[in-house]
């Protein structure tokens, strides 16, 4: 199969931005009660977008204590779980371990490692969408930005400042919340556009 070139930085920069979820479509989950309500909504889904965020590390060989945030999304709403509360952690672990809910995202190998170490759970039924695009012939890892460009001809906005912000803070900024939510939302949007069945997924 011939290799398909990934969009270049210049091509991505020329695209119109993708409309994203706003704060009104995002639920910040920080208590056991909020986690219980979020679980009811997410457990009804065959597939959800999935990603994590961790406080950045700054030194060589420094081990991340993350994830500090785990986010799940449907096509219309995202749930951003903070993990300070034991009830939130329990619900996140249940969702991650569930065989009946496909969790889809991009570049998830690092997330898996941190989840095993910090939460002590083995994620089940997880699909790394980079694997799908590789099978389609993209030699370079496409990632969420490339996938959004290929499928929707739009530019996915990601804040570098939010990427390297402190995700361990109990009080997240609006920018952090929107960033985290849309990472998961973009994944389920791509998954939906690809028309993939929400069956037992292949682990990355």
């Amino acid at each position: 199969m011939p290799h398909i070139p990934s969009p270049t930085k210049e091509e991505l920069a020329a695209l119109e931005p993708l409309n994203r979820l706003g704060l009104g479509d995002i639920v910040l989950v920080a208590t056991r009660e909020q986690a219980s309500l979020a679980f009811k909504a997410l457990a009804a889904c065959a597939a959800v977008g999935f990603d994590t965020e961790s406080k950045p590390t700054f030194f060589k060989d420094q081990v991340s204590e993350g994830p500090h945030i785990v986010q799940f999304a449907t096509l219309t709403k995202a749930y951003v779980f903070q993990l300070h509360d034991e009830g939130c952690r329990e619900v996140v672990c249940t969702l991650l371990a569930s065989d009946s809910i496909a969790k889809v995202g991009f570049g998830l190998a690092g997330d898996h490692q941190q989840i095993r170490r910090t939460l002590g759970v083995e994620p089940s039924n997880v699909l790394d969408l980079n694997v799908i695009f590789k099978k389609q012939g993209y030699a370079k890892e496409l990632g969420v930005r490339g996938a959004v460009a290929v499928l929707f001809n739009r530019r996915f906005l990601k804040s570098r400042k939010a990427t390297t912000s402190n995700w361990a803070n109990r009080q997240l900024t609006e920018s952090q919340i929107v960033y985290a939510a849309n990472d998961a939302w973009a994944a389920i949007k791509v998954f939906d556009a690809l028309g993939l069945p929400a069956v037992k997924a292949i682990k990355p």
Side-chain angles (χ1 to χ4, degrees), residues 27-162:
V27 178
L28 183 63
V29 183
T31 68
R32 182 181 293 272
E33 292 73 22
Q34 292 168 341
S36 178
L37 290 173
F39 177 80
K40 289 178 182 178
L42 292 164
C45 301
V48 295
F50 161 62
D51 200 11
T52 71
E53 308 297 339
S54 300
K55 179 181 178 181
T57 55
F58 298 101
F59 308 105
K60 184 180 179 182
D61 299 326
Q62 182 180 358
V63 178
S64 172
E65 296 177 352
H68 297 98
I69 301 294
V70 178
Q71 57 269 39
F72 302 97
T74 69
L75 287 170
T76 57
K77 191 176 287 288
Y79 300 84
V80 178
F81 286 78
Q82 293 183 279
L83 302 181
H84 303 288
D85 183 89
E86 184 180 349
C88 288
R89 293 195 297 273
E90 289 174 1
V91 167
V92 164
C93 288
T94 299
L95 289 167
L96 290 172
S98 173
D99 267 341
S100 62
I101 308 169
K103 278 75 66 175
V104 301
F106 288 90
L108 297 176
D111 301 75
H112 275 222
Q113 185 178 15
Q114 290 185 341
I115 286 167
R116 293 187 196 102
R117 182 176 62 240
T118 304
L119 297 177
V121 63
E122 180 68 32
S124 179
N125 198 4
V126 176
L127 175 65
D128 192 327
L129 293 167
N130 281 330
V131 174
I132 301 299
F133 285 101
K134 184 176 182 180
K135 289 180 178 178
Q136 291 183 352
Y138 289 90
K140 184 180 177 183
E141 189 170 280
L142 207 54
V144 63
R145 285 175 172 169
V148 166
V150 167
L151 291 174
F152 308 115
N153 198 34
R154 287 291 185 270
R155 175 165 47 98
F156 184 65
L157 300 174
K158 284 177 76 79
S159 165
R160 183 175 295 276
K161 183 178 180 181

